[in-house]
Amino acid sequence: MSRFTGKYALVTGAARGIGAATARRLATEGAVVGCVDLTAARCASIIDEIAVTGGSAAAFGCDVSDSGQVEALVSDVVTEFGRIDVLVNNAGITRDNLLFRMSEDDWDKVIDVNLKSAFLMTRAVQKHMVDQRSGAVVNMSSRSALGNRGQANYAAAKAGIQGLTATLALELGPFGVRVNAVAPGYVATPMTEATAVRVGVTPEEHQAAAAQAIPLRRVGQPTEIAAVVAFLASDDASYVSGQTVYVNGGAR
Ligand code: NAP
């Protein structure tokens, strides 16, 4: 498949997990991929991996919750690539705690990295997509947007992503720019491994417990989220905009 031949994509939080799987998938399908993480060095292994398989990628360092860094990043990427066809706002963090124990800093950090970053990145990139009269943005929400004990900050950010997505689709649609979101359930990544360690079980035990509540009786893999991101970013989804697609093994 080469749905992205001649296209330039930017994926945030691309050093590992779902972001790395997405960068790999888009590159496999022909895109030149800008891999963004807190430092360019963190993207070294995904860049090497893409290069070894014959793909093209470049690493960029940026804290996507910082407006100055985001403006500089997008300017650098446009200088290097000439255009941006696909933006995947994937970077995210968790700082879980019950409300009465949640610090203001944990609230702010999670909102900034998961939600404000998508606003900052899309605001900076849309100028170029609007000029091109084409582009696709895919934002990373979560099943937690529906509510999840211990994740008031994260659930609020991920629900916010869905409202942002619906609104940006209205504003950017007339310029040929589509905006969609993916809402994964439990996916086996370093993020969920860290959660397991924090609650005192192994990642395998944590995944097995989560799987019991999922109709498909297993947790998701990063490649399974990347496949849906790639669909939404591609021309196969040319009439899909403003949607949030849940990818969660059938959980309600
Ligand atoms: P992950 O393994 O923790 O990877 C996230 C990546 O984002 C890391 O490389 C991280 O860098 C980077 N990052 C964090 N803050 C950043 C910032 N300010 N600027 C740039 N990069 C930053 O997470 P994941 O599980 O792949 O999750 C990816 C996305 O999917 C997130 O938005 C997450 O909320 C969402 N999601 C995940 C699941 C799941 O079950 N895994 C479910 C639903 C939604 P560091 O290594 O420095 O932290």
Side-chain angles (χ1 to χ4, degrees):
M1 270 195 290
S2 54
R3 291 184 293 186
F4 298 101
T5 301
K7 305 246 180 184
Y8 293 84
L10 203 51
V11 180
T12 70
R16 64 187 204 186
I18 294 168
T22 300
R24 208 177 282 124
R25 175 72 190 241
L26 296 178
T28 302
E29 294 199 43
V32 177
V33 183
C35 295
V36 182
D37 214 282
L38 281 162
T39 63
R42 291 186 194 209
C43 294
S45 68
I46 182 68
I47 297 288
D48 287 350
E49 207 188 305
I50 288 171
V52 163
T53 54
S56 290
F60 298 91
C62 175
D63 176 348
V64 292
S65 65
D66 180 300
S67 61
Q69 291 191 39
V70 165
E71 291 294 330
L73 165 76
V74 172
S75 162
D76 288 350
V77 171
V78 170
T79 301
E80 188 163 336
F81 288 176
R83 57 187 288 126
I84 301 173
D85 300 291
V86 172
L87 169 64
V88 182
N89 287 312
N90 165 78
I93 59 166
T94 54
R95 295 282 185 277
D96 297 352
N97 235 325
L98 293 173
L99 178 64
F100 75 99
R101 285 200 213 107
M102 187 173 285
S103 69
E104 191 174 342
D105 186 57
D106 283 347
W107 172 270
D108 287 343
K109 197 95 182 93
V110 166
I111 297 291
D112 286 355
V113 175
N114 291 277
L115 178 58
K116 184 181 167 192
S117 64
F119 154 67
L120 293 175
M121 285 293 302
T122 312
R123 189 180 61 172
V125 166
Q126 60 81 28
K127 294 190 268 288
H128 306 284
M129 291 182 166
V130 166
D131 284 350
Q132 293 161 196
R133 291 292 192 274
S134 71
V137 178
V138 183
N139 295 320
M140 202 54 70
S141 179
S142 167
R143 185 262 158 232
S144 295
L146 302 174
N148 203 23
R149 192 177 151 79
Q151 289 197 313
N153 50 2
Y154 186 77
K158 295 305 192 182
I161 283 286
Q162 298 190 16
L164 178 72
T165 298
T167 301
L168 297 187
L170 293 174
E171 293 188 13
L172 298 176
F175 303 98
V177 179
R178 296 182 299 102
V179 187
N180 289 290
V182 175
Y186 190 122
V187 183
T189 69
M191 177 183 275
T192 42
E193 280 174 25
T195 303
V197 170
R198 202 173 54 248
V199 300
V201 297
T202 66
E204 292 73 23
E205 288 166 341
H206 202 247
Q207 290 170 20
Q212 287 173 14
I214 299 169
L216 287 178
R217 294 290 185 269
R218 64 177 181 82
V219 301
Q221 296 301 317
T223 51
E224 296 176 302
I225 308 305
V228 179
V229 173
F231 163 69
L232 290 171
S234 78
D235 288 344
D236 283 343
S238 54
Y239 203 53
V240 182
S241 195
Q243 304 304 306
T244 295
V245 180
Y246 281 78
V247 186
N248 61 9
R252 306 302 299 167

